[in-house]
Amino acid sequence: MNQVSFNNGDADADVVIVGSGVVGALIADQLAGEGHSVLVLEAGPRLDRADVVENWRNFSFERRAGNDFQGPYPQSPLATAPLYWPANDYIELSGPDGKGFKQGYIRAVGGTTWHWAASCWRHLPVDLKMKSTYGVGRDWPIGYDELEPYYCRAEEAMGVSGPNDPAQQSPSDRSKPYPADMIPWGNGDEVFAQVVNPHGYNLVPIPQGRMVKPWQDRPACCGNNNCQPICPIGAMYNGIHSVEAAERKGAHILAESVVYKIDTDENNRVIAVHWYDTNKVSHKATGKTFVIACNSIETPRLLLLAANERNPNGIANSSDQVGRNMLDHSGFHCTFLADRPIWLGRGPAQSSCMVGPRDGPFRSEYSANKIILNNISQIHTATKKALAMGLVGEELDTEIRRRAAYGVDLSISLEPLPDPNNRLTLSKTRRDGHGLACPDIRYELGAYARKGYDKACEQLEHIGKLFNAEEFHITTDLNANNHIMGGVIMGASSKDSVVDGNCRSFDHANLWLPGGGAIPSASVVNSTLTMAALGIKAADAISRELAAA
Amino acid sequence: MRKSSFFAFAALALGFANADAQPSAQKFSAKEIEQGRYVAIAGDCAACHTAPVHPGEKPSGEMAGGYPINSPLGAIYSSNITPSSRYGIGAYSEAEFARAVRSGIRRDGAPLYPAMPYPSYAKLTDADIHALYAYFMTAVKPIDSAAPTTNLPFPFNIRTSMRIWNAMFVDEQKIAADPARSAQWNRGRYLSETLGHCSTCHSPRGLMMQESKSAPLSGGPLGSWFAPNITSDKVSGIGGWSREEIARYLSTGSVPGKGQAAGEMAEAVTHSFSRMNPADVQAIAEYIATVPAVRDDSDKQAAYSFGHSANFETALRGDSKPALGSKLYSGLCAACHGRNGDGSPDGTIPSLHHNSTVGASRSDNLVSVILHGVDRTVGDRHVLMPGFGEASFVQSLTNAQIADLATFVRQTFGPGDSVTEKQVAVARTGSSFSIILLVVRSAMVLGALLLAGIAFWRLRRTSGGKTA
Ligand SMILES: Cc1cc2nc3c(=O)[nH]c(=O)nc-3n(C[C@H](O)[C@H](O)[C@H](O)COP(=O)(O)OP(=O)(O)OC[C@H]3O[C@@H](n4cnc5c(N)ncnc54)[C@H](O)[C@@H]3O)c2cc1C
Ligand code: SF4
């Protein structure tokens, strides 16, 4: 096994990976397992799970009720991530829908999957062919068939449970069963399916990165519904699991090491990256292959920051697409009181979802959607409302109980199309703790998804009627769903794309940019499994490249 | 019960055969083979001789050995006991097989170390030995690969001294049925004393590492764990457990309100007790419940009887600088065991009060369970509590953190004493620590044995006695 070598604070390795989130960690795990020396540079600190759990438990009622999932995570002052309670304005948002792009992500060893919900969806085969099928968006340069084996490997790596009944799969194009069958449904899922499924909404189990039985060193999910902001027992897949696995195989992780500069040679191959340590001292990592897996905001930001003489518009940016096509499943919520007890909040945070409106010929005109039965305990919402009603004593208790039982929260995701004008640029005024420019993002939902919003509202009104809904409400403000995509978009040509089907940059033969940034079509489903699959696909390509060299 | 660390420094069991003689080409009946399979389960041969498969590793195969026990002296591997004639025991005749299992002498005449529990197996009936032989020779698939060899440095490679040890401590006298007791009790005694080899771990050991005959089953150290007193004493032992509870513990590994199996006992439950027939498990319980009580006078209360539902949460939330132990408990344990320590109502997740691991007079098992977790499978039901030792997927805790956490748990739900950082450090190096200790101790013992052996031999020779 090759070892990372250190010399005077500088490092040399076969593979240098920037970012230790799920994507970077899975690549590190695979390549370290193959015997390559792997250095992972991570901007954020190493976290202790118990601290985060306790920070959350000690939070004010408002911050808990307001889902301040960023807040409980300690940050390095030198590697800021967005905060919203209060806002730290690390990212400045502009454009018509800028306010709907308030993304959350974590900068720490293990990355953002510390506080995800672990929904592990696949894109539909047709999602990769939006242009040729529906005449909108972009086609991927690879087909679903090429991606499928990597989906299987990603599901295996993340220990995914999902419905093994093909009728409940979305999509059912699978070469292998899920590593474990679906997490059993709670009362809410069952009741909802009975009511909405006769009307074509097709509520199905959400495939998810947790199991009701132990998986490798991971305990069984005990259903305490704390997944966001953190699973207290490590039953939910977190990137840190892959980091630990990679370390066991010899990968070397350096925390609190912020990469800011990239050197290229006369063939435009990357020869080194530079990082700042906690004392703001700069170091250099040389290597054969470089991977930047910093998520779809930090990867384009780094590429722009690292502009050098040969690449004056930024690394990997001859197409001028770095930072463009920023995507997310812009979403909104629908809440009501049902005519029967639902009891949301039993079991994990995500359990079932309506995929009926996920695909159809309408996609040539307007956006698809998916409607998650948001399985988050309603007690906070119920309590807030009951207190606002001025109730006290037993009346207060009864009302909280009633609302916790009957309350419904649906979380709807839309599919915006990639738009080069939705763009991340570097701030001219704001700088982080290392003096590096902060990101600015301009965002507009676009007419296609706007129309999808209107259509979704019609569906929601119908669902509300099926439950004789009281206090029926649909939010008009968009919310971010933290499935950040775009920024280093994948395509067939170096003219309009940053990376190829293996996430290799067109401009630099030994630079890979895997993860959400490459995804050219959002679909409506949470996209981390797709990011992970792309990461493993890139790892295979890197492995072949290293073997050939 | 398995890979007993008393002799963890010793290479295990049956070694390599010289392929000069072939076993007699015997025919065995299906019934004998089945009985042998059962005897192998009850004796838990697989526990040491089938290496567990870790994710990403290639399995070495059933009974093919290769189970590594890491020690500062080097890795120690269990041997291949498949009927491969080159690498396993394929060349053993039934008599040679019986001699290995009962007397710890392998085919080439070299003695085994008693990590292989032959002192217990010595009392096996001829019928069980025959069945076991039938099973190994016909139903176990020969695997033609050598288990890695164990190379121990001097003096641990001198197997000869074991002959003397055997002569002194191994009693091959068959167990005579006690007519005053029920058939069930007698069956239970036979199973416990032979195949179950309970005493291998649960009996204290003498200076020469022999099992104590004066206070059998009154508890003994086992690496970082402590195999508790399982005599019928109501305070120090398990006299407060009903026979049904003992049987339930053996066959499922969990009795809510009493205790749960972890460590090597969890492995014994997984591989052996849970797969034995219920009548036999009940028989073992019947017998174990009658083992003469041994009381440790410093014990005041049964391990399972300590503690009560606690309420520290409110105080914790109001505290800006909470004690580390309570904070760790809340952050890492409370999500499953409950903020009150009540566990889950159906007992799937154990309570921490009324829990023998927490209430035991020694804190070894509590510390070990925090370090290594619990891993037990009964049928298709896998129970896994993650450990918090090195490379934990949940959180790796330092010795000081584990000491604080264990102290909090002992004080909130158990006897109220404290656990020190040093105790945790010792437990963390667990087996290797006890190995170092054993190295020193055994070197002394071996030296003494060699001297005694020489004297013994001389004496025998001069008196014209027959050598053993
Ligand atoms: C509340 C929430 C819930 C979510 N739920 C789901 C869900 O249910 N399903 C789903 O599919 N997705 C979900 N997501 C999205 C998911 O978490 C992300 O898609 C995923 O974590 C992205 O992985 P990544 O490895 O690309 O990036 P990250 O996990 O963000 O990791 C990137 C790492 O790179 C590091 N880094 C950044 N810049 C630098 C630098 N300059 N130098 C060194 N290191 C750097 C960062 O510190 C970070 O640790 C959720 C997200 C949030 C916030
Ligand atoms: S429901 Fe609880 S145990 Fe299960 S994954 Fe979520 S936080 Fe973890």
Side-chain angles (χ1 to χ4, degrees):
Chain A
M1 194 210 319
N2 293 345
Q3 297 284 337
V4 179
S5 62
F6 287 94
N7 184 6
N8 250 334
D10 291 346
D12 181 71
D14 295 336
V15 186
V16 177
I17 299 174
V18 187
S20 68
V22 47
V23 176
L26 285 175
I27 297 172
D29 186 33
Q30 175 171 335
L31 296 176
E34 289 172 10
H36 304 294
S37 61
V38 176
L39 174 69
V40 181
L41 296 165
E42 167 53 55
R46 207 141 185 144
L47 298 176
D48 278 343
R49 189 178 296 266
D51 289 347
V52 181
V53 174
E54 285 305 281
N55 288 347
W56 174 247
R57 296 209 173 122
N58 288 328
F59 260 13
S60 67
F61 179 75
E62 284 71 24
R63 289 176 84 170
R64 289 172 61 125
N67 297 334
D68 179 14
F69 299 147
Q70 291 290 108
Y73 285 85
Q75 285 191 4
S76 155
L78 300 172
T80 318
L83 290 173
Y84 300 105
W85 293 76
N88 67 353
D89 296 323
Y90 169 63
I91 302 176
E92 191 170 282
L93 297 167
S94 65
D97 298 303
K99 282 209 293 291
F101 207 80
K102 289 184 184 164
Q103 305 295 345
Y105 59 87
I106 293 171
R107 294 180 83 184
V109 178
T112 308
T113 50
W114 271 103
H115 72 8
W116 71 329
S119 299
C120 287
W121 294 97
R122 294 176 171 206
H123 271 45
L124 301 175
V126 68
D127 291 340
L128 280 63
K129 302 245 165 295
M130 288 298 284
K131 186 76 185 171
S132 44
T133 313
Y134 298 121
V136 298
R138 294 169 61 129
D139 280 356
W140 293 42
I142 54 172
Y144 180 86
D145 288 354
E146 282 165 272
L147 199 54
E148 205 282 336
Y150 295 102
Y151 271 135
C152 291
R153 281 166 63 184
E155 285 164 348
E156 186 73 19
M158 291 153 89
V160 175
S161 302
N164 275 331
D165 169 9
Q168 295 195 301
Q169 294 170 346
S170 174
S172 59
D173 313 71
R174 311 179 49 87
S175 62
K176 277 189 186 164
Y178 282 104
D181 205 354
M182 61 176 278
I183 305 258
W185 270 1
N187 175 68
D189 309 299
E190 298 286 357
V191 169
F192 241 80
Q194 273 163 24
V195 174
V196 303
N197 280 356
H199 301 274
Y201 290 106
N202 199 17
L203 185 90
V204 298
I206 297 181
Q208 42 192 300
R210 57 174 73 73
M211 292 189 188
V212 289
K213 60 177 188 187
W215 171 254
Q216 295 175 356
D217 286 347
R218 206 169 76 182
C221 165
C222 69
N224 57 45
N225 205 238
N226 206 82
C227 324
Q228 296 171 118
I230 186 161
C231 173
I233 64 170
M236 175 173 77
Y237 172 82
N238 302 135
I240 191 70
H241 296 169
S242 297
V243 171
E244 298 270 2
E247 283 181 312
R248 290 181 201 178
K249 293 174 190 159
H252 199 104
I253 320 285
L254 284 181
E256 301 193 67
S257 304
V258 180
V259 174
Y260 69 99
K261 183 173 155 188
I262 299 171
D263 296 341
T264 48
D265 69 7
E266 61 284 1
N267 299 317
N268 228 3
R269 287 178 73 88
V270 174
I271 46 178
V273 300
H274 298 250
W275 82 87
Y276 284 129
D277 68 16
T278 45
N279 297 317
K280 304 193 180 185
V281 175
S282 185
H283 307 269
K284 185 163 93 170
T286 48
K288 296 179 186 147
T289 304
F290 294 82
V291 177
I292 298 180
C294 296
N295 82 34
S296 313
I297 287 180
E298 294 296 336
T299 294
R301 174 183 175 231
L302 171 56
L303 295 174
L304 296 175
L305 279 172
N308 62 23
E309 234 169 86
R310 284 194 195 87
N311 302 275
N313 296 326
I315 299 297
N317 199 19
S318 66
S319 62
D320 188 37
Q321 295 300 304
V322 169
R324 296 187 184 271
N325 307 296
M326 297 303 294
L327 286 167
D328 175 32
H329 300 119
S330 292
F332 56 104
H333 282 252
C334 170
T335 52
F336 58 87
L337 290 174
D339 58 358
R340 64 203 89 186
I342 305 291
W343 286 116
L344 289 183
R346 300 190 64 175
Q350 308 239 309
S351 186
S352 63
C353 176
M354 291 171 240
V355 292
R358 199 185 158 179
D359 189 34
F362 64 85
R363 285 175 92 184
S364 57
E365 284 172 56
Y366 57 89
S367 146
N369 72 61
K370 81 169 191 303
I371 306 172
I372 303 172
L373 178 59
N374 207 18
N375 194 33
I376 308 282
S377 161
Q378 290 293 297
I379 291 174
H380 279 116
T381 329
T383 309
K384 238 163 113 174
K385 187 78 187 182
L387 285 171
M389 288 163 74
L391 301 174
V392 290
E394 213 176 298
E395 274 185 330
L396 177 66
D397 283 355
T398 313
E399 184 62 11
I400 293 175
R401 194 177 164 80
R402 184 179 82 90
R403 288 181 172 271
Y406 291 76
V408 171
D409 176 20
L410 302 175
S411 172
I412 301 94
S413 309
L414 298 168
E415 178 178 20
L417 299 174
D419 173 359
N421 295 320
N422 283 341
R423 185 176 183 194
L424 178 148
T425 50
L426 297 178
S427 169
K428 303 223 160 35
T429 51
R430 294 172 354 275
R431 301 196 169 261
D432 70 9
H434 279 305
L436 306 169
C438 295
D440 289 343
I441 296 175
R442 184 247 174 223
Y443 184 68
E444 179 172 12
L445 180 64
Y448 179 81
R450 266 285 157 222
K451 191 161 170 201
Y453 172 92
D454 295 339
K455 293 289 172 185
C457 288
E458 291 169 21
Q459 293 157 358
L460 294 165
E461 305 264 0
H462 179 221
I463 292 167
K465 288 208 178 71
L466 296 175
F467 283 98
N468 301 308
E470 270 177 63
E471 299 182 17
F472 183 87
H473 178 70
I474 298 178
T475 57
T476 48
D477 288 344
L478 294 175
N479 58 268
N481 265 317
N482 315 306
H483 310 146
I484 320 164
M485 293 162 281
V488 290
I489 203 157
M490 175 193 290
S493 154
S494 62
K495 299 267 175 317
D496 63 358
S497 321
V498 181
V499 297
D500 68 11
N502 283 328
C503 295
R504 186 208 289 238
S505 103
F506 282 114
D507 294 354
H508 314 275
N510 65 341
L511 177 65
W512 271 263
L513 307 170
I519 294 179
S521 71
S523 180
V524 289
V525 291
N526 315 39
S527 39
T528 305
L529 187 78
T530 305
M531 301 179 194
L534 288 174
I536 298 171
K537 189 165 192 290
D540 273 10
I542 292 168
S543 172
R544 285 193 299 271
E545 200 72 14
L546 288 170
Chain B
M1 178 139 171
R2 54 177 302 188
K3 47 182 165 64
S4 142
S5 37
F6 304 107
F7 286 93
F9 64 89
L12 307 188
L14 311 169
F16 304 96
N18 301 327
D20 46 341
Q22 290 301 315
S24 50
Q26 254 172 295
K27 285 268 176 286
F28 304 102
S29 71
K31 198 164 156 250
E32 282 168 341
I33 295 168
E34 265 325 290
Q35 188 193 339
R37 183 192 308 280
Y38 186 75
V39 171
I41 287 172
D44 209 2
C45 311
C48 290
H49 291 281
T50 302
V53 186
H54 297 293
E57 282 175 18
K58 205 170 138 273
S60 53
E62 204 179 327
M63 305 291 182
Y67 187 118
I69 298 167
N70 294 314
S71 85
L73 298 174
I76 296 161
Y77 298 94
S78 64
S79 54
N80 182 335
I81 55 166
T82 72
S84 157
S85 41
R86 179 113 189 261
Y87 299 104
I89 57 166
Y92 278 59
S93 68
E94 184 170 334
E96 287 164 343
F97 178 81
R99 188 172 66 145
V101 173
R102 282 196 185 127
S103 318
I105 306 292
R106 60 184 200 197
R107 186 162 177 268
D108 64 4
L112 304 173
Y113 294 104
M116 157 85 175
Y118 63 82
S120 296
Y121 297 160
K123 293 167 184 296
L124 279 173
T125 62
D126 292 345
D128 277 349
I129 287 281
H130 176 70
L132 199 58
Y133 182 68
Y135 166 69
F136 271 102
M137 289 303 162
T138 58
V140 172
K141 209 175 107 237
I143 295 177
D144 290 319
S145 64
T149 28
T150 305
N151 293 313
L152 296 183
F154 181 83
F156 309 102
N157 50 359
I158 314 175
R159 289 172 178 260
T160 316
S161 47
M162 290 321 304
R163 278 185 190 281
I164 309 156
W165 192 91
N166 289 348
M168 291 169 76
F169 300 119
V170 180
D171 174 7
E172 293 190 29
Q173 204 71 49
K174 294 287 163 298
I175 300 168
D178 180 347
R181 301 278 193 170
S182 67
Q184 190 191 28
W185 184 94
N186 277 296
R187 172 73 178 157
R189 176 180 176 198
Y190 172 71
L191 287 169
S192 309
E193 292 193 356
T194 60
L195 292 167
H197 56 285
C198 311
S199 62
T200 305
C201 299
H202 288 279
S203 286
R205 299 258 167 175
L207 181 69
M208 289 187 161
M209 289 293 146
Q210 82 280 20
E211 290 169 21
S212 156
K213 294 277 180 260
S214 61
L217 304 184
S218 64
L222 189 60
S224 70
W225 304 83
F226 189 84
N229 180 329
I230 53 168
T231 70
S232 62
D233 190 76
K234 284 204 163 15
V235 172
S236 298
I238 56 171
W241 295 48
S242 70
R243 285 162 171 69
E244 284 61 42
E245 285 173 331
I246 299 172
R248 180 170 173 196
Y249 182 87
L250 293 174
S251 52
T252 68
S254 174
V255 180
K258 288 279 182 342
Q260 283 72 29
E264 322 238 324
M265 192 61 194
E267 295 181 10
V269 167
T270 298
H271 300 294
S272 182
F273 293 118
S274 68
R275 298 163 66 192
M276 288 171 71
N277 67 49
D280 277 349
V281 174
Q282 197 62 47
I284 294 175
E286 182 68 29
Y287 166 72
I288 290 292
T290 65
V291 169
V294 178
R295 168 77 56 95
D296 179 337
D297 287 332
S298 60
D299 294 338
K300 299 286 172 259
Q301 208 178 317
Y304 64 78
S305 69
F306 281 94
H308 50 79
S309 194
N311 181 4
F312 66 93
E313 174 90 5
T314 323
L316 178 69
R317 292 296 155 240
D319 194 345
S320 62
K321 285 229 175 330
L324 185 60
S326 61
K327 189 177 154 188
L328 286 171
Y329 179 83
S330 177
L332 295 174
C333 316
C336 288
H337 291 289
R339 57 175 105 180
N340 304 327
D342 292 346
S344 64
D346 65 354
T348 300
I349 295 162
S351 65
L352 296 183
H353 49 82
H354 300 93
N355 182 318
S356 294
T357 302
V358 178
S361 52
R362 305 174 52 129
S363 51
D364 308 43
N365 291 352
L366 177 61
V367 170
S368 293
V369 96
I370 295 174
L371 271 172
H372 307 299
V374 178
D375 193 347
R376 196 171 68 223
T377 302
V378 171
D380 57 7
R381 187 129 187 216
H382 183 185
V383 171
L384 184 128
M385 167 187 148
F388 297 88
E390 225 151 290
S392 164
F393 271 14
V394 188
Q395 183 177 331
S396 299
L397 297 175
T398 63
N399 292 342
Q401 285 174 321
I402 292 181
D404 280 345
L405 176 57
T407 298
F408 173 80
V409 171
R410 295 281 284 186
Q411 295 184 348
T412 312
F413 307 110
D417 59 345
S418 303
V419 175
T420 65
E421 197 177 329
K422 203 164 147 222
Q423 263 174 286
V424 183
V426 169
R428 194 187 287 270
T429 46
S431 47
S432 45
F433 175 81
S434 54
I435 283 169
I436 291 168
L437 190 84
L438 277 170
V439 167
V440 177
R441 205 151 150 198
S442 311
M444 284 160 51
V445 171
L446 281 172
L449 281 173
L450 280 174
L451 289 177
I454 292 163
F456 185 70
W457 246 251
R458 284 222 175 115
L459 201 74
R460 282 287 189 105
R461 224 186 250 162
T462 46
S463 65
K466 216 166 76 184
T467 42

